[in-house]
Amino acid sequence: MTAAPSLRIAIEYPDGPDSARWVELTDVGSRGSKRVRAATLLDAQKRTATASDDVFVDLDVLVASSVSEAYDRYRRIRPGWQPGARVPSLVHPGTVDTLAGLLADIAVTGVADGVTLTSRDAEQLLDLIYGDLAERLAVHGTDVHFRPRDREQVVQRAS
């Protein structure tokens, strides 16, 4: 029997009005890690394949109850964005189900060892990750070993 694909997950946690810190929410792997921005999944996969450290690819997310609502809201915060537009970093406006599917695909195909999820609302993102997203990833067969949720510890690790 083949082991389930695993994925490391981090978030970008706001540190102030103009800065943020990277915080891993999963158990730390045995190798070092490197955070990258990639315009496409293929770009991310190429960088992962040649890296000596684990690669975390940035993924800007906006989760809503429907994909169309997520697109509309994303367009409001990123004027000029439209589906399929080439941007400097991966983006995913969608539902929790579509996000879980994308993360499972990233794990299965080896696009990256981990993802850094970014959002305008880090607190809501934390709730999503430790709630519905963790459950949906398990349904997809993706192995994610989250550290126990403790908001104070997350904030401290961000410091």
Side-chain angles (χ1 to χ4, degrees):
M1 185 171 186
T2 306
S6 64
L7 186 68
R8 293 170 67 186
I9 296 180
I11 65 165
E12 186 176 88
Y13 203 87
D15 187 33
D18 297 320
S19 64
R21 301 227 187 231
W22 183 85
V23 182
E24 185 168 355
L25 302 175
T26 47
D27 288 334
V28 178
S30 58
R31 300 186 324 170
S33 57
K34 173 179 162 180
R35 183 176 171 186
V36 301
R37 296 180 84 195
T40 67
L41 293 172
L42 181 59
D43 292 343
Q45 189 172 40
K46 287 178 182 177
R47 293 180 77 178
T48 299
T50 59
S52 58
D53 291 331
D54 282 352
V55 172
F56 280 74
V57 65
D58 281 6
L59 179 61
D60 190 21
V61 299
L62 189 146
V63 176
S65 59
S66 71
V67 172
S68 60
E69 178 190 350
Y71 280 9
D72 290 343
R73 288 176 49 200
Y74 200 80
R75 278 190 206 102
R76 285 195 297 273
I77 62 171
R78 301 276 194 267
W81 177 85
Q82 54 187 316
R86 190 163 175 97
V87 293
S89 185
L90 298 174
V91 300
H92 183 79
T95 66
V96 67
D97 289 321
T98 61
L99 177 58
L102 174 59
L103 295 178
D105 289 346
I106 287 171
V108 166
T109 59
V111 166
D113 304 297
V115 295
T116 300
L117 301 176
T118 64
S119 173
R120 288 201 161 188
D121 188 342
E123 294 296 324
Q124 181 184 32
L125 185 56
L126 275 174
D127 290 342
L128 174 77
I129 290 168
Y130 281 102
D132 292 341
L133 185 60
E135 294 170 13
R136 301 293 198 317
L137 286 169
V139 168
H140 280 279
T142 303
D143 192 17
V144 178
H145 297 282
F146 286 106
R147 294 176 177 169
R149 181 171 185 186
D150 182 335
R151 190 176 306 278
E152 284 184 30
Q153 286 181 349
V154 170
V155 173
Q156 280 181 330
R157 284 197 308 268
S159 301

